[in-house]
């Protein structure tokens, strides 16, 4: 990816130009992060990194702006990209970089009483803090009242309600403070971070292969995709390419994971609306796919199946037969569910025209995946930037019409069918051969070599003791996950652990649009909209 370095005083003008100039059209801020360069160079300690993407032209660009520690500020980009609101709050929270004129520069992942900025390199990972005071969010609510005064009623008529986190429809960890006028939502203030566990800080203290189990806990409904996405990023950093057999297996487990993810998303969304029968049609199928995954990886939920340079093991002898058998069950489960809901008046009334967002605004919020495609914008990394031989498979990109809750549900159902097509083709075309690269500094040698040759023993020892050592550099690699673009931005200082490992969680950007989607609507619709966005707390909070 091309990298441009800019002085901080020019950053907002440059971002606006790159977004609006027709020959560039970098319409999406893919992610924003900070690199603490204190151990890499002399001079300014921080680099604020903007990862831009022109969806129309399929090009990416990174902009870096150095910021000194003693005068740690940069102008906000919230007036240019809507997802800059949350991404800048995260950068402030984790690194202490101040974004001038940000409308709500407040911690977002860490508790409001937290002292310090945990992703600075000199913050001790073992330092504990006692945090006890509940955030009533009144400061944010009052700020919204002043910024976006509503013509409806006065404050005396309002009712304040906490939607979650201790409620099944809030999926356990999502809290939204809403101000209601009757049953209409005036303001919605999301609070996240209940499941924040410092994934990125933990990654900096483990060698590259040891980070893979941590990726399981991101989107835990499709953890195999996380394994694949992270491994692809490290492999790009190392400059290695996995074997063709490994790529085909990764495609199969990725698409099976996508199917499982969409099944549980739609099942939960429908049961939130009161449609319990559909839940069993879909959830039972997911469990049968889990049986296949368990026989392959030894685990159902947290698999840790990939390795840098390959896989933990090749597929089992009965894997293909088991996959083909479970694929035959998908059309019936999906078909039975659609018979119950596709023309159901209650379902249609609860979803059509509810939580509408158009493509332009969705892109400004950083939407990717099914939520973006539901707006009618057919964008999918597997088609636009093919990897792992996706360009050799025949499949379609489903899309919606108006970007409402109904479209988001139906796009996922159709994507389940398309994933089945990809899996069948991958099984038909899968080549023979090894699943791991032959590289003594990347993959452990076979047991026989370790026990019977000095070269094998030394290679085993070196890899166990010193790990994988990518060259000095950085890489951003994106994978089409169940919720959209799952990216890993990794910086290497040549050591056995990532100097920095930033994950771009797709639902973080999508969830930042929740107030825009629910305000002005009915409070009951918040549940329907939230379910259709498929916010997975492990991925959101990291």
């Amino acid at each position: 990816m091309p990298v441009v370095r800019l002085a901080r005083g020019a950053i907002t003008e440059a971002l606006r130009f790159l977004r609006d100039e027709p020959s560039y059209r970098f319409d999406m801020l893919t992610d924003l992060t900070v690199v603490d360069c204190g151990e890499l160079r002399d001079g300014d300690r921080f680099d604020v990194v903007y990862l831009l993407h022109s969806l129309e032209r399929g090009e990416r660009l990174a902009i870096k702006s150095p910021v000194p520690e003693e005068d740690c500020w940069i102008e906000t980009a919230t007036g240019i990209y809507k997802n800059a609101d949350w991404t800048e709050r995260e950068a402030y929270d984790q690194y202490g970089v101040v974004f001038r004129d940000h409308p709500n520069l407040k911690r977002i992942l860490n508790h409001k009483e937290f002292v310090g900025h945990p992703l600075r390199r000199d913050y001790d990972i073992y330092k504990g803090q006692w945090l006890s005071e509940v955030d009533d969010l009144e400061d944010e609510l009052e700020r919204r009242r002043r910024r976006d005064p509503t013509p409806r009623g006065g404050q005396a008529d309002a009712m304040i309600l906490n939607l979650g986190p201790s409620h099944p429809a809030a999926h356990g960890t999502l809290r939204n403070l809403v101000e209601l006028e009757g049953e209409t939502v005036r303001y919605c203030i999301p609070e996240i971070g209940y499941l924040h566990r410092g994934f990125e800080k933990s990654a900096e203290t483990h060698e590259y292969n040891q980070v893979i189990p941590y990726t399981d806990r991101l989107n835990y409904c499709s953890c195999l995709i996380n394994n694949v996405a992270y491994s692809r990023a490290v492999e790009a950093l190392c400059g290695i390419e996995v074997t063709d057999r490994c790529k085909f297996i990764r495609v199969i487990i990725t698409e099976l994971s996508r199917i499982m993810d969409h099944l549980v998303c739609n099942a939960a969304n429908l049961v939130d609306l009161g449609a319990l029968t559909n839940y069993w049609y879909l959830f039972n199928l997911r469990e049968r796919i889990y049986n296949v995954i368990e026989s392959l990886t030894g685990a159902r939920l947290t698999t840790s199946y990939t390795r840098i340079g390959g896989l933990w093991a090749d597929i089992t002898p009965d894997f293909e037969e088991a996959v083909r058998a479970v694929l035959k069950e998908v059309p019936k489960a999906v078909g039975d569910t659609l018979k119950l809901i596709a023309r159901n008046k209650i379902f249609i009334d609860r979803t059509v025209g509810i939580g509408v967002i158009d493509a332009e605004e969705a892109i400004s919020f950083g939407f990717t995946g099914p939520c973006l495609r539901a707006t009618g914008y057919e964008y999918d990394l597997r088609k636009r930037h093919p990897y792992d031989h996706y360009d050799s498979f025949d499949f379609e990109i489903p899309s919606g019409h108006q970007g409402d809750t109904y479209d988001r549900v139906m796009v996922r159902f159709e994507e389940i069918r398309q994933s089945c097509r990809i899996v069948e083709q991958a099984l038909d075309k899968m080549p023979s051969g090894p699943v791991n690269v032959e590289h003594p500094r990347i993959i452990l040698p076979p047991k026989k070599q370790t026990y019977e040759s000095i070269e094998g023993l030394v290679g085993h020892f070196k890899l166990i003791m010193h790990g994988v050592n990518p060259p000095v550099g950085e890489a951003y690699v994106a994978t089409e996950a169940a919720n959209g673009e799952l990216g890993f931005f990794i910086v290497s200082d040549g050591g056995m652990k990532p100097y920095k490992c930033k994950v771009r969680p797709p639902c973080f950007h999508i969830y930042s649009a929740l107030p825009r989607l629910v305000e002005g609507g009915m409070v009951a619709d918040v549940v329907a909209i939230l379910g259709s966005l498929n916010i997975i707390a492990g991925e959101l909070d990291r």
Side-chain angles (χ1 to χ4, degrees):
M1 181 190 309
V3 178
V4 175
R5 297 189 70 85
L6 287 175
R8 59 182 173 180
I11 197 70
T12 53
E13 185 180 354
L15 291 175
R16 186 170 281 107
F17 172 78
L18 289 168
R19 184 196 65 178
D20 297 339
E21 168 60 35
S23 58
Y24 292 112
R25 289 293 295 152
F26 285 99
D27 44 1
M28 178 179 285
L29 174 63
T30 300
D31 207 357
L32 184 156
T33 188
V34 176
V35 180
D36 182 349
C37 302
E39 299 171 24
L40 297 177
R41 70 181 185 207
D42 296 328
D44 295 332
R45 177 171 176 178
F46 301 107
D47 270 348
V48 181
V49 182
Y50 301 81
L51 300 175
L52 305 180
H53 192 184
S54 170
L55 301 190
E56 181 182 316
R57 297 165 55 244
E59 294 183 358
R60 295 181 186 271
L61 175 68
I63 293 184
K64 293 185 178 180
S65 189
V67 173
E69 179 181 6
E70 61 276 9
D71 189 22
C72 199
W73 65 268
I74 193 168
E75 299 291 341
T76 181
T78 48
I80 304 168
Y81 299 105
K82 293 191 174 182
N83 59 337
D85 185 344
W86 277 28
T87 52
E88 289 181 352
R89 283 180 63 184
E90 182 184 341
Y92 163 73
D93 186 5
Q94 303 284 39
Y95 289 92
V97 175
V98 174
F99 291 84
R100 282 187 175 173
D101 299 326
H102 189 288
N104 181 33
L105 194 62
K106 180 181 176 181
R107 289 190 184 276
I108 188 166
L109 291 177
N110 296 294
H111 192 271
K112 67 175 185 177
E113 294 178 291
F114 192 90
V115 177
H117 303 284
L119 287 187
R120 289 190 174 194
R121 294 283 298 178
D122 53 4
Y123 187 90
D124 182 3
I125 190 173
Y126 298 107
K127 180 181 177 182
Q129 298 189 33
W130 181 255
L131 312 167
S132 58
E133 188 177 334
V134 175
D135 191 346
D136 60 15
L137 302 178
E138 278 290 334
D139 56 331
E140 291 187 64
L141 182 58
E142 186 55 35
R143 204 172 290 125
R144 282 296 315 279
R145 287 173 181 146
R146 290 198 302 268
R147 194 175 76 192
D148 305 309
T150 171
R152 298 183 298 274
Q155 194 171 331
D157 304 322
M159 183 173 80
I160 306 298
L161 179 67
N162 272 301
L163 290 176
S166 300
H167 189 282
H171 299 207
T173 63
L174 308 175
R175 178 192 176 197
N176 290 286
L177 184 78
V178 293
E179 181 177 290
L180 302 176
E181 177 187 4
E183 293 189 51
T184 302
V185 178
R186 280 181 181 169
Y187 303 107
C188 172
I189 311 295
E191 185 192 34
I192 69 172
Y194 284 79
L195 205 57
H196 178 53
R197 57 213 180 277
F199 164 80
E200 285 136 351
K201 189 72 174 178
S202 297
E204 294 175 8
T205 60
H206 291 73
E207 68 106 338
Y208 285 91
N209 270 311
Q210 290 176 337
V211 177
I212 293 172
Y214 288 97
T215 68
D216 287 335
R217 278 78 175 172
L218 294 172
N219 183 346
Y220 36 72
C221 293
S222 50
C223 67
L224 283 162
I225 304 181
N226 310 332
N227 297 166
V228 171
Y230 169 76
S231 297
R232 291 185 64 238
V234 180
E235 287 154 6
L237 200 56
C238 294
I240 60 174
E241 187 169 351
V242 297
T243 66
D244 278 348
R245 183 172 178 82
C246 175
K247 289 179 181 177
F248 275 78
I249 295 173
R250 286 183 177 184
V251 166
I252 292 169
I253 60 176
T254 293
E255 296 309 319
L256 289 176
S257 298
R258 194 183 317 279
I259 293 169
M260 290 191 298
D261 195 290
H262 287 357
L263 287 173
V264 74
C265 169
N266 281 352
N269 200 178
L270 292 171
V271 84
D272 285 349
L273 298 176
L276 180 61
T277 304
N278 309 278
Y279 183 85
W280 302 120
Y281 287 157
L282 302 177
F283 212 80
N284 285 339
L285 176 59
R286 188 193 83 144
E287 289 302 300
R288 284 194 276 280
I289 301 176
Y290 263 145
N291 293 340
V292 177
I293 298 300
E294 184 179 15
S295 68
L296 174 67
T297 69
R300 297 177 75 83
L301 192 67
T302 50
T303 53
S304 305
Y305 180 57
T306 64
R307 294 292 182 273
I308 309 305
L311 302 168
W312 166 68
D314 203 340
I315 57 175
T316 54
D318 62 346
F319 178 75
E320 180 177 343
E321 182 183 356
V323 172
R324 291 191 190 279
V326 81
L327 289 182
K328 290 179 182 174
E329 300 182 40
V330 174
K332 184 174 188 318
V334 172
D336 286 347
T337 304
L338 288 175
K339 284 179 188 172
L340 289 174
I341 65 164
R343 297 183 182 179
N344 182 296
K345 184 176 185 333
I346 297 174
F347 175 72
I348 290 173
D349 286 348
R350 294 295 309 274
T351 58
V352 173
I354 303 299
V356 177
I357 188 168
D358 63 29
E360 183 179 2
E361 191 173 14
I363 291 170
S364 186
F365 272 111
F367 276 38
T368 51
C371 290
L372 176 59
R373 293 189 281 273
T375 68
Y377 195 92
E378 295 184 9
Y379 187 86
D380 190 313
L381 288 171
R382 296 171 296 174
K383 286 282 191 184
R384 296 294 293 274
H385 304 281
Y387 54 91
D388 290 353
H389 297 304
Y390 268 108
D391 50 347
S392 68
F393 302 122
D394 179 24
F395 66 103
E396 297 168 8
I397 303 299
S399 62
H401 300 284
Q402 58 175 350
D404 58 7
T405 299
Y406 183 89
D407 283 344
R408 290 189 281 272
V409 172
M410 290 304 166
V411 163
R412 285 192 174 88
F413 274 125
E414 187 53 36
E415 288 192 0
I416 289 172
R417 290 179 168 137
Q418 298 303 321
S419 290
C420 289
R421 292 178 62 191
I422 296 171
V423 173
E424 287 171 350
Q425 293 171 66
L427 288 171
D428 292 339
K429 297 178 179 179
M430 189 187 302
S432 58
V435 295
N436 292 328
V437 296
E438 288 189 27
H439 196 308
R441 298 304 306 275
I442 300 292
I443 289 286
L444 287 172
K447 290 278 187 183
K448 185 176 175 58
Q449 283 186 27
T450 304
Y451 291 142
E452 298 181 1
S453 76
I454 187 63
E455 292 82 5
L457 182 63
V458 170
H460 187 279
F461 175 82
K462 289 287 289 180
L463 200 52
I464 291 295
M465 296 303 296
H466 301 139
V468 176
N469 295 78
V472 175
E474 62 188 39
Y476 175 78
V477 175
T479 298
E480 185 68 35
N483 267 336
E485 179 172 326
L486 175 64
F488 284 89
F489 176 72
I490 302 177
V491 179
S492 168
D493 61 356
M496 61 191 290
K497 302 171 184 174
Y499 183 83
K500 175 186 173 65
C501 178
K502 171 71 168 69
V503 58
R504 190 249 184 216
C507 68
F508 179 79
H509 302 263
I510 293 169
Y511 193 44
S512 71
L514 185 73
R516 153 66 186 79
L517 295 175
V518 305
E519 289 175 0
M522 305 293 283
V523 65
D525 294 338
V526 176
V527 174
I529 295 168
L530 182 59
S532 72
L533 299 179
N534 195 29
I535 305 303
I536 306 296
E539 178 182 278
L540 174 75
D541 291 345
R542 290 155 280 156

